Amino acid sequence: MDFDFKKAEQALDKLSFPDRLKSVGHLIKYTFTIIGEDEDIIKPWIRMLLYNFVMVSGLFYAWLGWWYELPLEGWGLFVAVVLFIYKYFYYNKQEMRMSHIVYETIIGNDPSYKSAVAACKPIQSQTRKIAWLDILMAFVNKAKFAGGGFVMMLVRLFIAGIGEVWDLVNHYLLPSVAVDRLEIKPGVKKMKTLKSQVPESLVGVFGIDFLGSVTRRIVVPVYIVLGIIAVGLGIWLSGSLPSTEIQGAEEPAKYWFTTLQFSWVPVIIALWVGKLISSLIARTVTGIKVIYFTIFYTKITHPDRIMEKLQDDLVNYLKLKEVDEVKDLDKQGTEEE
């Protein structure tokens, strides 16, 4: 069967948001069955959330403190900046530990977070290299390429394409290091041969960004709702919170106010809550990907090591069998064969 990866990705991209959300829900459900085998799997995820909470809270405390002269706002900014710079290294360290715990769990061992820390110490240099690549890709993706015309359009498309490819490469590199302790260059080379090793039952989902832009699609309405609530509270609580006077118009007949007392505190708090929610979703998506691709990598490269009782469940998990578009493409590929 010659499966069309591009067509599969396009099919998933065309999923309506409710259907995509439903598919992600099924994926999360299967993910929790894996986590149920060993609760230590989620400990790196919890640490990433705590790290992110301190980083984001420090930044917003500094912002609020700068406006309203709160104590130690400078330290809040300092902590936020330091944690932001180091976050790529910390996140990759935790993701590597999560990948190790997942692998040890599905092959029948009983790993702990402490054992994962010890096991990942010899591969710290590879972890740092992946972090540096993450930083490079973050810089490239955020770089502004001004100008119009056909050439600049191609440059922007190329940059966007690199970001998508790196996301996939990154999540196959993690288990290649965590499981087989490969260096980055051999790990990238091995990726080129992985496709030929994929079992026919799984070829339909190899190389698909199954979560797509679901994070962004969930977060936008959250920010909209929080924004509406924050504006309402900013007006309502202006008498009891630090507030500023917003000048309206001299003709109240045309506008509903001439001057308005408004507190920005609820707005800053709403942005803080929104950022925490978006970070929670982003870290959860990353955790799901680490679990998924670690299992996929193990199934491709070391299928004989996986516990017998998990073999069927893991194949169903990896096949995204609840996503109708993938099943339809599988059927189509079978008919064409």
Side-chain angles (χ1 to χ4, degrees):
M1 177 177 68
D2 188 14
F3 194 88
D4 191 336
F5 296 107
K6 189 68 179 175
K7 201 167 183 180
E9 288 195 64
Q10 289 172 349
L12 286 173
D13 288 339
K14 289 177 183 177
L15 275 175
S16 66
F17 181 64
D19 287 340
R20 186 182 283 271
L21 203 58
K22 179 183 174 184
S23 301
V24 172
H26 286 299
L27 190 62
I28 292 172
K29 181 185 75 173
Y30 278 111
T31 302
F32 272 98
T33 64
I34 307 303
I35 293 173
E37 295 291 326
D38 194 321
E39 62 182 20
D40 285 286
I41 291 173
I42 66 170
K43 288 184 178 179
W45 172 75
I46 292 171
R47 282 166 171 77
M48 285 189 280
L49 290 185
L50 292 174
Y51 184 97
N52 189 78
F53 177 82
V54 175
M55 178 178 67
V56 172
S57 298
L59 176 63
F60 279 90
Y61 179 81
W63 186 14
L64 200 61
W66 178 68
W67 272 21
Y68 300 112
E69 297 182 356
L70 296 176
L72 303 176
E73 75 275 11
W75 281 105
L77 181 61
F78 175 77
V79 168
V81 170
V82 170
L83 292 182
F84 179 81
I85 293 171
Y86 185 67
K87 72 174 183 177
Y88 295 98
F89 299 95
Y90 186 80
Y91 288 163
N92 272 283
K93 190 184 295 184
Q94 296 300 334
E95 289 165 21
M96 196 68 73
R97 291 168 183 173
M98 179 182 281
S99 182
H100 172 82
I101 295 170
V102 171
Y103 168 72
E104 290 292 323
T105 298
I106 64 176
I107 66 172
N109 294 332
D110 184 21
S112 66
Y113 180 78
K114 188 178 289 187
S115 69
V117 172
C120 291
K121 276 187 179 179
I123 51 175
Q124 288 184 85
S125 64
Q126 294 99 306
T127 306
R128 283 193 292 268
K129 288 173 186 176
I130 295 175
W132 280 115
L133 288 170
D134 266 342
I135 292 171
L136 175 63
M137 290 311 306
F139 175 79
V140 169
N141 287 330
K142 292 183 186 300
K144 302 296 182 184
F145 292 89
F150 182 69
V151 174
M152 290 312 300
M153 181 189 74
L154 288 179
V155 170
R156 283 188 282 269
L157 287 173
F158 176 71
I159 295 300
I162 288 177
E164 291 177 6
V165 171
W166 169 242
D167 184 68
L168 183 64
V169 171
N170 183 30
H171 284 96
Y172 274 116
L173 269 180
L174 279 170
S176 74
V177 175
V179 174
D180 290 326
R181 299 177 177 262
L182 296 179
E183 289 289 340
I184 302 304
K185 192 173 180 180
V188 172
K189 284 183 178 179
K190 185 166 186 174
M191 278 199 64
K192 297 177 182 178
T193 65
L194 283 181
K195 184 178 176 181
S196 62
Q197 296 176 250
V198 179
E200 187 175 352
S201 60
L202 298 177
V203 72
V205 287
F206 179 76
I208 294 179
D209 181 10
F210 50 88
L211 291 173
S213 60
V214 70
T215 305
R216 195 163 54 250
R217 294 289 299 276
I218 293 173
V219 167
V220 169
V222 168
Y223 272 110
I224 292 173
V225 171
L226 287 173
I228 294 170
I229 294 172
V231 170
L233 289 175
I235 297 171
W236 184 41
L237 299 175
S238 60
S240 54
L241 292 174
S243 59
T244 56
E245 187 176 86
I246 300 175
Q247 293 296 324
E250 295 180 0
E251 302 178 31
K254 290 180 68 176
Y255 301 95
W256 63 279
F257 67 91
T258 53
T259 61
L260 177 70
Q261 289 296 121
F262 184 79
S263 174
W264 290 98
V265 174
V267 175
I268 297 175
I269 292 175
L271 289 172
W272 171 66
V273 172
K275 183 59 180 175
L276 288 178
I277 293 173
S278 66
S279 299
L280 167 65
I281 295 170
R283 288 295 98 205
T284 301
V285 166
T286 298
I288 291 172
K289 286 185 176 182
V290 171
I291 294 171
Y292 184 90
F293 284 107
T294 299
I295 294 171
F296 210 135
Y297 179 87
T298 308
K299 185 66 178 174
I300 294 171
T301 56
H302 308 292
D304 54 310
R305 297 182 187 177
I306 298 175
M307 284 190 293
E308 186 63 34
K309 70 171 186 175
L310 290 178
Q311 289 283 354
D312 293 338
D313 287 341
L314 292 185
V315 169
N316 289 333
Y317 169 69
L318 295 174
K319 284 173 68 176
L320 306 176
K321 70 173 188 175
E322 300 293 343
V323 182
D324 291 335
E325 280 69 13
V326 173
K327 289 192 290 186
D328 291 342
L329 284 166
D330 277 326
K331 291 176 185 176
Q332 179 182 324
T334 304
E335 289 170 0
E336 289 175 357
E337 187 183 23

